Amino acid sequence: VSSASEKFDFFYLVQQWPGSFCDTRQGCCFPDDTKPAAAFGIHGLWPNYAKCRGRQGLVRAMLGDDAFLSTVGRRGKCWPEYCDDGNELSPWEIRDLVASLDRSWPTLSCKNRRSFQFWSYEWKKHGTCSNLEPHDYFARALALKAKHDLAEILADAGIVPSDTETYPVSSVRDAIAQGTGFVANLECNRDADGEAQLFQVYQCVDRDAKDLIDCPLAMPTKCTDRVKLPVF
Ligand code: 5GP
Ligand code: 5GP
């Protein structure tokens, strides 16, 4: 656990649509060569500031220091990360969650193909800033995800995976707000043909990682007016 108590405002629970990870130019791989279910999978649970901070960052951004901008971004520091580098995730601490994590938080990357590597990376980068013990961090992410099945919510609104159909991004946003009760942020990426598709859903969560909240800030978006939800 990080030594100091981190002051952040909310979490993003980020879930990825596997069809949109896999149909890009980079492609994807499956852990143990087992294809995960056609469901959203967890990418991470990320502590976040509601307002980006760093006076120095803002002043230098206003002066247009491009070298500086490329490292912190125009708006300063927007979230804490790597709060305790020596704090490695131990498999033992989350042993009772592994079956559930395998189902709900599988890696799709071809670099490693071991989901544990993905979980321990996310723990080090984001989890060490969460003020939670590893077991609570992963258990709460799983519990939050289990509350709502995003693919089912979209299907109920007529938004079903298809390699030809496109859907208004506003209908995706509305379906998630109705189905979960809270407004989420959406991230799109591009398939190998350059078409915009729904890639990740960012649900906002209170500081205890227990309840969903309306997202306090919008994100810059690469979504176009209509987006695909590719088959997985
Ligand atoms: P990308 O540049 O692909 O959007 O994000 C790269 C990485 O930066 C993400 O995997 C995540 O670790 C971190 N990141 C991006 N956006 C956010 C954000 O809004 N909040 C937090 N906490 N981390 C983010
Ligand atoms: P972040 O975007 O949180 O910094 O981290 C993403 C990192 O985790 C990348 O380095 C990526 O290679 C690795 N990774 C492993 N599995 C996955 C996966 O299924 N999805 C994503 N987005 N990244 C993954």
Side-chain angles (χ1 to χ4, degrees):
V1 177
S2 64
S3 38
S5 166
E6 289 301 323
K7 292 194 172 52
F8 59 91
D9 298 303
F10 68 98
F11 287 98
Y12 277 131
L13 175 69
V14 183
Q15 297 189 58
Q16 58 184 357
W17 176 249
S20 302
F21 187 95
C22 291
D23 73 355
T24 56
R25 244 177 285 147
Q26 102 209 323
C28 69
C29 297
F30 304 141
D32 303 319
D33 290 321
T34 309
K35 186 179 176 177
F40 282 82
I42 299 175
H43 177 165
L45 181 64
W46 303 346
N48 231 67
Y49 304 134
K51 280 207 180 80
C52 304
R53 34 190 83 174
R55 208 166 37 122
Q56 198 195 24
L58 291 176
V59 169
R60 291 178 70 175
M62 284 186 321
L63 294 173
D65 180 338
D66 286 338
F68 188 75
L69 281 181
S70 66
T71 60
V72 297
R74 186 165 291 281
R75 293 167 303 146
K77 195 173 182 314
C78 303
W79 60 82
E81 61 180 34
Y82 297 111
C83 294
D84 185 0
D85 271 343
N87 186 342
E88 294 281 348
L89 181 65
S90 134
W92 182 253
E93 289 171 300
I94 54 164
R95 63 194 179 284
D96 61 316
L97 302 175
V98 166
S100 206
L101 288 166
D102 277 334
R103 248 179 283 121
S104 297
W105 200 328
T107 180
L108 298 171
S109 161
C110 294
K111 277 189 216 133
N112 195 287
R113 302 189 186 204
R114 302 268 303 271
S115 293
F116 183 81
Q117 297 298 319
F118 188 25
W119 310 332
S120 55
Y121 171 90
E122 291 292 320
W123 165 254
K124 263 186 122 161
K125 183 168 182 179
H126 301 286
T128 55
C129 303
S130 69
N131 300 327
L132 295 171
E133 301 289 340
H135 191 276
D136 282 341
Y137 178 76
F138 288 98
R140 287 184 203 184
L142 288 168
L144 286 162
K145 179 194 156 55
K147 278 190 191 172
H148 303 283
D149 181 332
L150 294 178
E152 201 174 284
I153 284 172
L154 294 180
D156 287 346
I159 301 164
V160 292
S162 163
D163 288 326
T164 50
E165 198 64 52
T166 64
Y167 303 100
V169 73
S170 58
S171 70
V172 174
R173 189 170 290 116
D174 291 349
I176 291 172
Q178 285 231 328
T180 67
F182 298 93
V183 177
N185 290 333
L186 306 178
E187 180 185 2
C188 292
N189 68 358
R190 307 255 163 189
D191 68 14
D193 297 327
E195 287 194 84
Q197 53 189 4
L198 180 64
F199 173 42
Q200 301 198 111
V201 176
Y202 290 59
Q203 291 174 285
C204 292
V205 178
D206 70 345
R207 275 180 50 91
D208 290 335
K210 286 191 170 159
D211 294 302
L212 293 179
I213 58 172
D214 284 323
C215 284
L217 72 161
M219 303 190 319
T221 175
K222 286 186 204 131
C223 298
T224 48
D225 283 351
R226 298 186 71 92
V227 295
K228 291 191 356 178
L229 184 68
V231 170
F232 177 65

